Amino acid sequence: MRYMFILFIMLTVSLKAEERLVWPPPPDTPKVQFIREIKKIEDFEEDKGFFSRFLDIVFGKKKKIMVKPFGSYIKGNKLYFTDTGSKAVFIFDFKRKSVKIIDHIGDYALSSPIDVVVDSKGRIYISDSVLGTVFITNEDGDFLGKIGSTTIIRPTGLAVDNKRNRLFITDTVGGKIYVVSLKDGKLIMKIGKLGTGKGEFNRPTFITLDRKGNLYVVDSMNARIQIFDKNGVFLRMFGERGTVIGTFANPRGIAVDSDGNIYVSDTLLSAVQVFDPKGRLLLVIGNYGTGKGQFAYPADISISKDNYIFVSDSYNMRIQVLRYLKGGAGQ
């Protein structure tokens, strides 16, 4: 009996160790840890009581489901993400354990919502690549305005600089980044043009800002990352096309953690690669698959102020949540 008890303890410890998924794996010091996955709304929100479920059935209330999560933005206790399959924007409130869904902006039905950001006043900006517009709304889906419907060909990636009241909009087909004022929506400047040189783009997609206001652009068809200062001046770039570690096959999403490390998702490699601020490879997270920490055509990435990492694992129909272990500290 004593030996059986010891064996039980050993198996329990072994199972607990297996549950902790980290990169790089032991014996190296872990830098990133898998936290959880969100596959459906029921995984997140509090269970409704019988009466609420009964009313939903009686009044025919239909709930959107997660089909193809794409762009994302984290602000405080809330995760905002677009879903190109459901043609909607989901808002997950981690504090209240509630979910809101926006599929209409006023009288406009979303057609292909790509990215979403939120300004300091709570206004939500949603890019729709098919409608060629960036909509401005709130959590109730009210129409508050739109940007770019006459100038931007295909709006995709978004970034917001609340300190300087600026919204950055990627025009994937036009090959440039538009910078507009959050106050009046007027154009401040354009960054880039079609091409392969420094400061030129070929099908740019997602973008992000670091804490200094520097702009990071995923220059997808040029298979590289370009970085600009807060005034739109080119700083540096890194990356080359390939199918091996450290190269890009089809880079898509991008985010920067509190130490300035750069996370880039790649839809064809089905992985997230992590680079230091100078563009040197530090770590590769995941590979193709359906398990925890595996990806199938991952899209955007968002990182919270406390280094939680949200990856839109599009073809696995889920959001995967990781965490950067600052200083390599385990939990």
Side-chain angles (χ1 to χ4, degrees):
M1 181 65 70
R2 179 182 178 185
Y3 294 110
M4 290 180 65
F5 178 74
I6 293 173
L7 178 61
F8 173 76
I9 294 295
M10 291 177 64
L11 287 172
T12 302
V13 171
S14 177
L15 286 172
K16 287 184 177 180
E18 289 178 1
E19 290 174 359
R20 188 172 185 264
L21 179 60
V22 295
W23 296 270
D28 293 330
T29 302
K31 298 296 183 182
V32 175
Q33 179 179 350
F34 174 85
I35 301 297
R36 64 176 294 191
E37 60 182 1
I38 304 172
K39 288 186 174 181
K40 54 184 184 294
I41 292 176
E42 289 76 13
D43 290 339
F44 179 82
E45 64 183 356
E46 290 184 332
D47 185 37
K48 284 187 174 183
F50 171 79
F51 186 68
S52 295
R53 294 197 300 269
F54 175 75
L55 289 178
D56 287 349
I57 295 172
V58 170
F59 291 102
K61 186 177 180 180
K62 295 183 178 179
K63 182 180 292 185
K64 291 275 187 179
I65 62 173
M66 293 172 60
V67 178
K68 190 180 178 183
F70 212 73
S72 65
Y73 185 78
I74 184 75
K75 179 178 173 63
N77 295 313
K78 295 180 180 180
L79 172 67
Y80 303 75
F81 69 90
T82 62
D83 191 306
T84 56
S86 285
K87 299 182 179 181
V89 172
F90 291 73
I91 305 172
F92 285 3
D93 189 323
F94 291 98
K95 185 176 182 179
R96 297 183 177 181
K97 294 185 178 180
S98 62
V99 179
K100 288 187 177 181
I101 301 172
I102 301 172
D103 57 7
H104 282 73
I105 311 296
D107 294 330
Y108 295 92
L110 292 175
S111 181
S112 182
I114 300 297
D115 204 5
V116 56
V117 294
V118 185
D119 69 16
S120 58
K121 295 182 179 179
R123 293 176 298 191
I124 304 170
Y125 300 80
I126 303 169
S127 60
D128 192 305
S129 63
V130 170
L131 299 180
T133 297
V134 176
F135 290 102
I136 309 173
T137 185
N138 53 28
E139 291 191 7
D140 294 321
D142 297 323
F143 178 80
L144 302 180
K146 58 181 180 177
I147 300 171
S149 55
T150 59
T151 55
I152 302 175
I153 303 172
R154 185 175 296 173
T156 53
L158 301 174
V160 63
D161 185 341
N162 284 306
K163 292 182 179 180
R164 305 179 73 204
N165 286 310
R166 293 183 173 186
L167 176 69
F168 297 76
I169 307 168
T170 303
D171 186 343
T172 294
V173 173
K176 58 176 66 72
I177 310 297
Y178 287 81
V179 186
V180 301
S181 170
L182 291 176
K183 294 180 179 180
D184 53 21
K186 292 183 178 180
L187 180 67
I188 296 175
M189 63 178 171
K190 300 177 188 177
I191 301 173
K193 62 180 181 179
L194 286 170
T196 59
K198 295 179 180 179
E200 298 177 341
F201 306 113
N202 185 2
R203 299 280 173 161
T205 53
F206 285 104
I207 55 180
T208 195
L209 300 172
D210 65 17
R211 297 187 178 188
K212 296 179 181 179
N214 294 323
L215 173 69
Y216 297 71
V217 182
V218 179
D219 190 7
S220 292
M221 293 304 291
N222 282 329
R224 63 189 182 186
I225 305 301
Q226 296 203 57
I227 306 169
F228 302 81
D229 71 10
K230 60 184 179 181
N231 296 314
V233 177
F234 174 85
L235 294 176
R236 59 190 180 277
M237 62 184 179
F238 67 90
E240 60 181 333
R241 187 169 303 282
T243 56
V244 298
I245 290 175
T247 63
F248 297 126
N250 187 29
R252 182 63 59 86
I254 190 165
V256 180
D257 67 25
S258 61
D259 284 336
N261 299 314
I262 306 162
Y263 297 65
V264 183
S265 65
D266 195 301
T267 60
L268 294 183
L269 297 180
S270 287
V272 175
Q273 300 189 85
V274 186
F275 302 85
D276 72 9
K278 294 184 178 180
R280 296 173 296 198
L281 182 68
L282 297 175
L283 187 65
V284 178
I285 302 171
N287 52 23
Y288 182 79
T290 59
K292 295 178 180 179
Q294 294 182 314
F295 304 103
Y297 304 98
D300 199 15
I301 308 171
S302 290
I303 301 179
S304 67
K305 290 183 179 179
D306 50 358
N307 291 310
Y308 281 96
I309 306 161
F310 299 85
V311 183
S312 296
D313 189 8
S314 292
Y315 277 64
N316 280 329
M317 303 170 65
R318 65 186 178 183
I319 299 284
Q320 294 207 58
V321 186
L322 317 174
R323 192 175 192 185
Y324 169 52
L325 305 175
K326 193 176 177 70
Q331 290 185 348

